[in-house]
PDB file of all heavy atoms in Angstrom:
ATOM      1  N   GLN D 319      45.982-168.582-256.677  1.00  0.00           N
ATOM      2  CA  GLN D 319      46.015-167.136-256.885  1.00  0.00           C
ATOM      3  C   GLN D 319      44.870-166.455-256.135  1.00  0.00           C
ATOM      4  O   GLN D 319      45.054-165.382-255.533  1.00  0.00           O
ATOM      5  CB  GLN D 319      45.939-166.825-258.384  1.00  0.00           C
ATOM      6  CG  GLN D 319      47.164-167.300-259.171  1.00  0.00           C
ATOM      7  CD  GLN D 319      46.982-167.115-260.669  1.00  0.00           C
ATOM      8  OE1 GLN D 319      45.869-166.912-261.172  1.00  0.00           O
ATOM      9  NE2 GLN D 319      48.089-167.200-261.407  1.00  0.00           N
ATOM     10  N   ARG D 320      43.692-167.058-256.175  1.00  0.00           N
ATOM     11  CA  ARG D 320      42.554-166.480-255.447  1.00  0.00           C
ATOM     12  C   ARG D 320      42.769-166.568-253.938  1.00  0.00           C
ATOM     13  O   ARG D 320      42.329-165.686-253.179  1.00  0.00           O
ATOM     14  CB  ARG D 320      41.264-167.202-255.852  1.00  0.00           C
ATOM     15  CG  ARG D 320      40.821-166.896-257.278  1.00  0.00           C
ATOM     16  CD  ARG D 320      39.467-167.505-257.584  1.00  0.00           C
ATOM     17  NE  ARG D 320      39.528-168.971-257.661  1.00  0.00           N
ATOM     18  CZ  ARG D 320      39.896-169.641-258.748  1.00  0.00           C
ATOM     19  NH1 ARG D 320      40.260-168.990-259.849  1.00  0.00           N
ATOM     20  NH2 ARG D 320      39.907-170.962-258.753  1.00  0.00           N
ATOM     21  N   GLN D 321      43.429-167.603-253.476  1.00  0.00           N
ATOM     22  CA  GLN D 321      43.714-167.710-252.046  1.00  0.00           C
ATOM     23  C   GLN D 321      44.649-166.598-251.584  1.00  0.00           C
ATOM     24  O   GLN D 321      44.434-165.997-250.522  1.00  0.00           O
ATOM     25  CB  GLN D 321      44.318-169.088-251.753  1.00  0.00           C
ATOM     26  CG  GLN D 321      43.327-170.228-251.889  1.00  0.00           C
ATOM     27  CD  GLN D 321      43.994-171.595-251.802  1.00  0.00           C
ATOM     28  OE1 GLN D 321      45.230-171.705-251.859  1.00  0.00           O
ATOM     29  NE2 GLN D 321      43.197-172.646-251.669  1.00  0.00           N
ATOM     30  N   ARG D 322      45.665-166.303-252.379  1.00  0.00           N
ATOM     31  CA  ARG D 322      46.568-165.204-252.033  1.00  0.00           C
ATOM     32  C   ARG D 322      45.823-163.870-252.067  1.00  0.00           C
ATOM     33  O   ARG D 322      46.070-162.979-251.245  1.00  0.00           O
ATOM     34  CB  ARG D 322      47.769-165.174-252.974  1.00  0.00           C
ATOM     35  CG  ARG D 322      48.709-166.358-252.846  1.00  0.00           C
ATOM     36  CD  ARG D 322      50.068-166.053-253.457  1.00  0.00           C
ATOM     37  NE  ARG D 322      49.966-165.662-254.862  1.00  0.00           N
ATOM     38  CZ  ARG D 322      50.048-166.507-255.882  1.00  0.00           C
ATOM     39  NH1 ARG D 322      50.227-167.811-255.665  1.00  0.00           N
ATOM     40  NH2 ARG D 322      49.975-166.078-257.131  1.00  0.00           N
ATOM     41  N   GLU D 323      44.908-163.729-253.020  1.00  0.00           N
ATOM     42  CA  GLU D 323      44.108-162.511-253.098  1.00  0.00           C
ATOM     43  C   GLU D 323      43.266-162.326-251.833  1.00  0.00           C
ATOM     44  O   GLU D 323      43.175-161.216-251.276  1.00  0.00           O
ATOM     45  CB  GLU D 323      43.212-162.579-254.330  1.00  0.00           C
ATOM     46  CG  GLU D 323      42.333-161.352-254.537  1.00  0.00           C
ATOM     47  CD  GLU D 323      41.390-161.519-255.724  1.00  0.00           C
ATOM     48  OE1 GLU D 323      41.373-162.617-256.339  1.00  0.00           O
ATOM     49  OE2 GLU D 323      40.661-160.558-256.030  1.00  0.00           O
ATOM     50  N   LEU D 324      42.672-163.407-251.364  1.00  0.00           N
ATOM     51  CA  LEU D 324      41.853-163.327-250.146  1.00  0.00           C
ATOM     52  C   LEU D 324      42.699-163.032-248.918  1.00  0.00           C
ATOM     53  O   LEU D 324      42.308-162.229-248.052  1.00  0.00           O
ATOM     54  CB  LEU D 324      41.083-164.631-249.947  1.00  0.00           C
ATOM     55  CG  LEU D 324      39.709-164.721-250.604  1.00  0.00           C
ATOM     56  CD1 LEU D 324      39.138-166.116-250.443  1.00  0.00           C
ATOM     57  CD2 LEU D 324      38.755-163.691-249.995  1.00  0.00           C
ATOM     58  N   ILE D 325      43.850-163.671-248.809  1.00  0.00           N
ATOM     59  CA  ILE D 325      44.724-163.434-247.654  1.00  0.00           C
ATOM     60  C   ILE D 325      45.158-161.973-247.616  1.00  0.00           C
ATOM     61  O   ILE D 325      45.196-161.343-246.549  1.00  0.00           O
ATOM     62  CB  ILE D 325      45.934-164.379-247.703  1.00  0.00           C
ATOM     63  CG1 ILE D 325      45.486-165.818-247.405  1.00  0.00           C
ATOM     64  CG2 ILE D 325      47.002-163.946-246.709  1.00  0.00           C
ATOM     65  CD1 ILE D 325      46.585-166.837-247.528  1.00  0.00           C
ATOM     66  N   SER D 326      45.470-161.397-248.776  1.00  0.00           N
ATOM     67  CA  SER D 326      45.849-159.981-248.826  1.00  0.00           C
ATOM     68  C   SER D 326      44.681-159.094-248.401  1.00  0.00           C
ATOM     69  O   SER D 326      44.870-158.108-247.673  1.00  0.00           O
ATOM     70  CB  SER D 326      46.309-159.611-250.240  1.00  0.00           C
ATOM     71  OG  SER D 326      47.484-160.302-250.593  1.00  0.00           O
ATOM     72  N   ALA D 327      43.460-159.440-248.845  1.00  0.00           N
ATOM     73  CA  ALA D 327      42.294-158.646-248.471  1.00  0.00           C
ATOM     74  C   ALA D 327      42.030-158.726-246.966  1.00  0.00           C
ATOM     75  O   ALA D 327      41.673-157.723-246.322  1.00  0.00           O
ATOM     76  CB  ALA D 327      41.069-159.124-249.240  1.00  0.00           C
ATOM     77  N   ILE D 328      42.202-159.904-246.382  1.00  0.00           N
ATOM     78  CA  ILE D 328      42.015-160.064-244.932  1.00  0.00           C
ATOM     79  C   ILE D 328      43.065-159.261-244.172  1.00  0.00           C
ATOM     80  O   ILE D 328      42.755-158.585-243.180  1.00  0.00           O
ATOM     81  CB  ILE D 328      42.079-161.555-244.554  1.00  0.00           C
ATOM     82  CG1 ILE D 328      40.860-162.290-245.108  1.00  0.00           C
ATOM     83  CG2 ILE D 328      42.166-161.723-243.043  1.00  0.00           C
ATOM     84  CD1 ILE D 328      40.926-163.800-244.935  1.00  0.00           C
ATOM     85  N   ALA D 329      44.318-159.314-244.636  1.00  0.00           N
ATOM     86  CA  ALA D 329      45.381-158.558-243.961  1.00  0.00           C
ATOM     87  C   ALA D 329      45.121-157.062-244.036  1.00  0.00           C
ATOM     88  O   ALA D 329      45.319-156.334-243.053  1.00  0.00           O
ATOM     89  CB  ALA D 329      46.730-158.901-244.589  1.00  0.00           C
ATOM     90  N   ASP D 330      44.671-156.582-245.202  1.00  0.00           N
ATOM     91  CA  ASP D 330      44.373-155.159-245.346  1.00  0.00           C
ATOM     92  C   ASP D 330      43.297-154.728-244.355  1.00  0.00           C
ATOM     93  O   ASP D 330      43.403-153.671-243.717  1.00  0.00           O
ATOM     94  CB  ASP D 330      43.913-154.851-246.775  1.00  0.00           C
ATOM     95  CG  ASP D 330      45.069-154.849-247.769  1.00  0.00           C
ATOM     96  OD1 ASP D 330      46.220-154.707-247.323  1.00  0.00           O
ATOM     97  OD2 ASP D 330      44.813-154.993-248.976  1.00  0.00           O
TER      98      ASP D 330
END
Side-chain angles (χ1 to χ4, degrees):
Q319 294 174 344
R320 290 186 290 277
Q321 290 171 348
R322 293 198 303 268
E323 181 184 4
L324 271 174
I325 289 176
S326 295
I328 291 173
D330 285 340

